[in-house]
């Protein structure tokens, strides 16, 4: 079982719709959760971080964390063609041998079509 | 604030050579992590440095090494290059724990021929 798994995609949504991206993780001691966006040929860009159960909203983005289910998701409201990218879920276990280490999922390719 | 910078942006090397990549973190960030990104393996953690000390290392052979300087700038070195080392090498910087929000540089695209 991979440490971090994302829905394989690709995910295609029409402009203006809600895009839902999902991620599960295997290690219960995971403490920090991140969503990165990566455009083709570019480096990952941090768009959301979440540390406690519940929802966190930032503009059109909402991250949801459920530690009991070991599940984190990203919702993108009013999706725009400029949101078309690969979305990477990353988790971190604080301290010890986890210093500075983010474990990434394989990414979900999102396409928003006009 | 200026973002993370990496040099060079592109490199072409031949098998057996060695390469050094450089990373300058965001001002005030003392933690620098390095990752390798390939289409097949995705993003994989190489190592992390904090205050000139390597605190963590990923599952890569000893040909991959790094260091950090007193100004938090970091370098990574790959010796005896293999074709499979062709990848995008990314560095990311962050503040001290517990906040581990990492900010990535643009990466160095290494091609080994």
């Amino acid at each position: 079982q991979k440490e971090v798994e994302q829905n394989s995609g690709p995910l295609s949504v029409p402009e203006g719709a809600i895009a839902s991206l999902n991620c599960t993780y295997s290690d219960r001691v995971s403490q920090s959760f991140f969503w990165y966006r990566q455009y083709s040929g570019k480096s990952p860009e941090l768009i959301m971080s979440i540390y406690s159960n519940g929802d966190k909203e930032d503009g059109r983005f909402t991250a949801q964390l459920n530690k009991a289910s070991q599940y984190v998701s990203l919702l993108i409201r009013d999706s725009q063609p400029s949101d078309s990218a690969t979305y990477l879920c990353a988790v971190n276990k604080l301290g010890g041998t986890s210093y500075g280490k983010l474990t990434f999922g394989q990414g979900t390719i999102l396409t928003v079509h006009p | 604030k200026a973002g993370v910078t990496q040099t060079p942006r592109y490199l072409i090397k031949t098998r057996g050579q060695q390469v050094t990549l450089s990373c300058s973190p965001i001002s005030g960030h003392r933690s620098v992590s390095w990752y390798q990104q390939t289409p097949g393996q995705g993003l994989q953690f190489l190592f992390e440095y904090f205050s000139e000390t390597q605190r963590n290392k990923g599952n890569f052979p000893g040909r991959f090494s790094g260091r950090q300087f007193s100004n938090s700038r970091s370098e990574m070195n790959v010796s005896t290059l293999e074709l499979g080392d062709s990848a995008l090498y990314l560095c990311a910087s962050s503040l001290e724990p517990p906040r581990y929000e990492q900010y990535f540089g643009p990466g160095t695209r290494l091609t080994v021929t």
Side-chain angles (χ1 to χ4, degrees):
Chain A
Q1 182 187 10
K2 292 183 179 179
E3 287 191 61
V4 180
E5 294 200 63
Q6 298 182 238
N7 39 348
S8 57
L11 177 64
S12 181
V13 300
E15 185 174 356
I18 295 175
S20 178
L21 302 159
N22 303 315
C23 174
T24 58
Y25 58 96
S26 61
D27 195 332
R28 286 193 172 274
V29 301
S30 297
Q31 295 288 333
S32 306
F33 307 86
F34 307 93
W35 284 98
Y36 286 85
R37 176 176 63 197
Q38 187 172 26
Y39 293 113
S40 180
K42 301 294 186 182
S43 61
E45 173 193 9
L46 178 66
I47 54 173
M48 289 290 285
S49 59
I50 187 165
Y51 303 95
S52 54
N53 281 329
D55 295 359
K56 179 181 178 183
E57 188 174 316
D58 184 0
R60 296 186 296 112
F61 299 100
T62 299
Q64 300 174 315
L65 175 61
N66 184 326
K67 289 187 177 181
S69 300
Q70 296 176 241
Y71 175 91
V72 58
S73 66
L74 179 70
L75 299 177
I76 306 174
R77 291 182 301 281
D78 188 24
S79 296
Q80 301 297 309
S82 58
D83 295 326
S84 298
T86 297
Y87 288 80
L88 297 160
C89 172
V91 305
N92 173 255
K93 297 176 285 187
L94 295 179
T97 58
S98 299
Y99 282 122
K101 177 182 177 181
L102 292 180
T103 301
F104 286 84
Q106 285 295 100
T108 299
I109 298 172
L110 171 66
T111 301
V112 181
H113 53 87
Chain B
K1 273 187 180 178
V4 179
T5 59
Q6 291 186 247
T7 56
R9 294 292 310 277
Y10 302 93
L11 267 178
I12 300 176
K13 293 284 189 178
T14 57
R15 277 181 298 175
Q17 288 186 313
Q18 75 166 18
V19 65
T20 299
L21 312 180
S22 181
C23 171
S24 292
I26 292 170
S27 178
H29 286 192
R30 295 166 64 188
S31 172
V32 174
S33 299
W34 288 88
Y35 296 85
Q36 180 196 67
Q37 186 174 32
T38 59
Q41 298 298 316
L43 268 156
Q44 292 190 292
F45 173 77
L46 282 157
F47 29 65
E48 187 256 6
Y49 287 87
F50 181 85
S51 292
E52 303 179 65
T53 301
Q54 184 185 87
R55 296 194 298 185
N56 200 3
K57 190 177 191 305
N59 189 24
F60 278 83
R63 300 184 297 107
F64 292 82
S65 62
R67 59 177 175 169
Q68 187 180 35
F69 303 94
S70 59
N71 61 358
S72 295
R73 190 177 68 85
S74 178
E75 289 181 347
M76 67 164 282
N77 183 277
V78 188
S79 62
T80 319
L81 285 165
E82 301 177 359
L83 294 178
D85 297 333
S86 295
L88 180 65
Y89 289 89
L90 294 156
C91 87
S93 74
S94 66
L95 291 168
E96 297 180 52
R99 295 187 67 83
Y100 264 103
E101 293 178 346
Q102 294 188 3
Y103 298 90
F104 283 87
T108 296
R109 172 74 62 185
L110 172 64
T111 302
V112 182
T113 62

